């Protein structure tokens, strides 16, 4: 089993990791973007170097863009597909080896996760659960989200030096998504552990130990959801997991994979968004003062947080046919890297993009949640949680300040903080 896991890591991460290190040593933007977290920031010199080479230049054999309009176009263009280990553009021997080493685990970065599948499978998966995250369903959660936020903040009253990631930002979304999925409260610590270990699987070029540990936890995830779905087949309830079980169009593997995706996607992005937002707002007291005077701006503040420092910095697409964009010919099977952070800092769309402004008129036009058919299913929920939780936190603790620099998560593409010690005192 270990040999198969190592072989799969080598094919999906090891060779790429070696190439990216070589590229970085040569000073090429691609290697630096992939290996160094700060290089992926929308304001980094590497992003600016890409802009200077054109709207969608070819660098190190890969097309890459930080242009907002081109990123949005490609995300919404059916001529491009998601990057997947079974994509026809991969050489047949590689696809054969990946198929032979497939452990059948619910890896959110591999099929049959809807995150990395294209129509018609993607359409089928999303249709099964889409209404649970639609406007009416999310609006109905507003009161419950406020209750959870208030409860978590009440707990901070007895902890004057909390960690705002583990004690607040993580607890808020995991509570809500667990209730949507019908998972018990005593599972919250385990769900957070699985989310933390599974998050790196959304990246490429992972170290062997990181990949090995993540796959080990995936075996636990599979066992747990298999058992949950077995129970729901016998005794269905009114929750999203029961919807998956009730639909005979899905195989058990598809059910488990997308249950795991809904869990991780349901709180990982929001944890990161809340943490990033707290860091931004405590560093911009003038913007906090504005929000205190005009609390109706909180929803727009969340959009500006997502634009300025979104939780996902880059994504990729593969051309399904020959495509011409802005004078560049992109051959079928070519990889195109999309800098979402760069697009969200494109000065042609967002004037003075390095300024954090909660009053920014077009903040909501950001691409932090992607766009098109793969736009984040939980975007409405994340926005609701962000506006309610951040407002409640800063209204209760208007003098909240961080107790030293927050500790970043050791990820590259997913921007997040692992720890954020703070000092709180009620106003």
């Amino acid at each position: 089993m270990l040999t198969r896991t190592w072989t799969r890591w080598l094919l999906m991460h090891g060779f790429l990791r070696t190439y990216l290190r070589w590229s970085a040593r040569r000073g090429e933007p691609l290697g630096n973007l992939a290996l160094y977290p700060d290089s992926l920031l929308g304001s980094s010199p590497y992003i600016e170097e890409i802009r200077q080479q054109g709207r969608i230049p070819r660098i190190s054999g890969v097309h890459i863009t930080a242009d907002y309009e081109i990123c949005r176009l490609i995300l919404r263009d059916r001529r491009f597909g998601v990057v997947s280990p079974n994509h026809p553009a991969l050489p047949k021997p590689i696809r054969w080896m990946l198929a032979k080493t497939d452990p059948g685990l619910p890896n959110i970065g591999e099929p049959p996760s809807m995150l990395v599948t294209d129509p018609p499978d993607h359409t089928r998966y999303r249709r099964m659960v889409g209404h649970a995250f639609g406007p009416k369903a999310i609006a109905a959660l507003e009161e419950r989200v406020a209750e959870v936020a208030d409860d978590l903040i009440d707990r901070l009253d007895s902890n004057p030096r909390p960690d705002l990631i583990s004690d607040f930002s993580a607890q808020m979304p995991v509570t809500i998504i667990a209730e949507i999925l019908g998972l018990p409260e005593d599972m919250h610590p385990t769900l957070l552990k699985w989310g933390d270990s599974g998050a790196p699987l959304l990246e490429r070029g992972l170290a062997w130990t990181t990949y090995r540990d993540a796959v080990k936890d995936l075996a636990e995830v599979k066992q747990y959801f298999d058992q949950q779905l077995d129970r729901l087949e016998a005794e269905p309830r009114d929750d999203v997991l029961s919807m998956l079980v009730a639909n005979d169009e899905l195989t058990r593997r598809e059910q488990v994979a997308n249950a795991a995706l809904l869990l991780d996607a349901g709180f990982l992005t929001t944890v990161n968004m809340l943490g990033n937002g707290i860091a931004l707002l405590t560093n911009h007291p003038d913007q906090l003062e504005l929000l205190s005077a005009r609390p109706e701006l909180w929803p727009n503040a969340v959009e500006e947080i997502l634009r300025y420092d979104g939780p996902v910095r880059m994504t990729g697409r593969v051309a399904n046919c020959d495509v011409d964009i802005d004078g560049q010919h992109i051959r079928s099977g070519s990889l195109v890297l999309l800098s979402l952070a760069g697009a969200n800092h494109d000065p042609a769309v967002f004037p003075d993009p390095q300024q954090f402004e909660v009053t920014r008129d077009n903040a909501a036009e950001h691409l932090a949640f992607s766009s098109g058919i793969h736009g984040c299913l939980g975007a409405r929920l994340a926005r609701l949680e962000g506006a309610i939780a951040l407002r409640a936190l800063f209204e209760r603790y208007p003098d909240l300040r961080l107790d030293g620099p927050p500790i970043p998560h050791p990820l590259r593409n997913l921007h997040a903080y692992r720890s954020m010690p703070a000092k709180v005192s009620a106003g």
Side-chain angles (χ1 to χ4, degrees):
M1 179 61 183
L2 187 61
T3 301
R4 292 177 62 188
T5 302
W6 184 85
T7 302
R8 193 169 184 82
W9 165 80
L10 191 66
L11 292 170
M12 296 191 65
H13 299 278
F15 289 135
L16 177 60
R17 185 177 176 86
T18 300
Y19 170 75
L20 292 173
R21 286 176 176 271
W22 173 81
S23 175
R25 284 197 298 269
R26 288 168 53 91
E28 296 177 351
L30 181 62
N32 288 308
L33 284 170
L35 293 177
Y36 304 112
D38 287 347
S39 69
L40 287 171
L41 291 170
S43 58
S44 81
Y46 297 108
I47 297 295
E48 291 308 311
E49 183 179 346
I50 290 167
R51 289 194 203 282
Q52 291 170 10
Q53 295 191 42
R55 297 182 72 195
I56 183 167
R58 185 174 173 85
I59 301 174
S60 304
V62 176
H63 290 281
I64 185 168
T65 181
D67 183 278
Y68 176 92
E69 295 296 342
I70 290 180
C71 284
R72 186 174 183 274
L73 169 68
I74 291 174
L75 289 170
R76 300 169 71 89
D77 194 328
R78 296 295 184 92
R79 293 175 297 176
F80 292 88
V82 291
V83 180
S84 167
N86 60 9
H87 196 284
L90 281 175
K92 287 184 178 179
I94 299 294
R95 280 185 282 149
W96 183 85
M97 284 294 294
L98 288 172
K100 288 293 183 181
T101 58
D102 185 354
L105 297 174
N107 186 331
I108 61 177
E110 297 183 23
S113 161
M114 75 174 79
L115 190 66
V116 284
T117 53
D118 286 318
D121 286 337
H122 176 270
T123 307
R124 186 163 51 93
Y125 301 154
R126 188 149 177 151
R127 186 177 62 243
M128 303 299 173
V129 296
H131 72 277
F133 297 90
K136 290 184 179 179
I138 299 307
L141 289 171
E142 183 171 350
E143 183 177 345
R144 178 56 182 152
V145 170
E147 289 176 356
V148 173
D150 288 342
D151 179 60
L152 291 172
I153 293 170
D154 285 343
R155 297 182 200 177
L156 298 182
D157 286 341
S158 60
N159 185 5
R161 291 175 180 262
D163 184 328
L164 293 179
I165 299 301
S166 61
D167 296 329
F168 183 73
S169 298
Q171 299 299 326
M172 171 84 239
V174 78
T175 299
I176 298 300
I177 193 61
E179 291 179 3
I180 291 173
L181 297 178
L183 303 179
E185 184 176 354
D186 61 9
M187 278 296 296
H188 291 184
T190 302
L191 300 179
L192 288 169
K193 169 181 171 289
W194 288 341
D196 192 57
S197 67
L201 294 171
L202 293 172
E203 307 206 347
R204 290 292 180 260
L206 294 179
W208 156 242
T209 53
T210 303
Y211 181 79
R212 179 199 61 200
D213 293 346
V215 169
K216 181 180 178 181
D217 273 0
L218 285 182
E220 296 179 14
V221 175
K222 181 180 185 301
Q223 181 181 29
Y224 177 74
F225 277 111
D226 269 332
Q227 293 172 348
Q228 286 292 110
L229 296 176
D230 283 342
R231 294 191 189 101
L232 292 173
E233 277 186 335
E235 300 178 12
R237 301 185 307 230
D238 185 21
D239 55 46
V240 173
L241 292 186
S242 294
M243 296 178 198
L244 290 173
V245 171
N247 197 296
D248 56 11
E249 291 185 34
L250 301 182
T251 65
R252 173 49 63 90
R253 182 176 183 184
E254 290 173 325
Q255 292 170 351
V256 171
N258 285 292
L261 172 65
L262 291 173
L263 171 65
D264 284 351
F267 72 82
L268 278 177
T269 300
T270 309
V271 172
N272 301 348
M273 179 191 68
L274 291 174
N276 297 353
I278 293 170
L280 276 172
L281 290 166
T282 52
N283 283 329
H284 293 83
D286 60 318
Q287 299 299 294
L288 268 178
E289 288 180 14
L290 188 56
L291 289 165
S292 178
R294 298 176 58 190
E296 73 276 6
L297 287 174
W298 273 108
N300 199 69
V302 169
E303 303 295 353
E304 178 68 349
I305 290 166
L306 289 163
R307 181 203 70 84
Y308 191 91
D309 195 7
V312 180
R313 292 171 169 176
M314 181 172 285
T315 190
R317 292 292 186 267
V318 178
N320 293 326
C321 60
D322 287 3
V323 183
D324 291 307
I325 295 179
D326 197 54
Q328 284 283 348
H329 183 67
I330 302 172
R331 293 183 179 275
S332 178
S334 295
L335 174 65
V336 182
L337 295 178
L338 311 175
S339 171
L340 302 180
N344 289 337
H345 283 249
D346 187 340
V349 178
F350 303 103
D352 297 320
Q354 310 316 325
Q355 293 295 318
F356 176 66
E357 301 176 347
V358 299
T359 57
R360 186 179 294 273
D361 291 341
N362 66 340
E365 294 177 16
H366 63 78
L367 298 177
F369 288 131
S370 189
S371 188
I373 63 170
H374 284 282
C376 178
L377 182 64
R380 290 187 185 90
L381 178 59
R383 287 180 163 108
L384 178 71
E385 291 177 314
I388 291 175
L390 291 174
R391 176 178 178 177
L393 179 68
F394 283 101
E395 286 186 347
R396 178 76 69 89
Y397 303 116
D399 297 323
L400 182 151
R401 56 193 176 94
L402 302 187
D403 190 12
I407 301 170
H409 201 293
L411 296 173
R412 300 184 301 274
N413 193 30
L414 296 179
H415 183 222
Y417 293 102
R418 182 182 290 280
S419 179
M420 190 174 287
K423 295 179 180 179
V424 299
S425 58

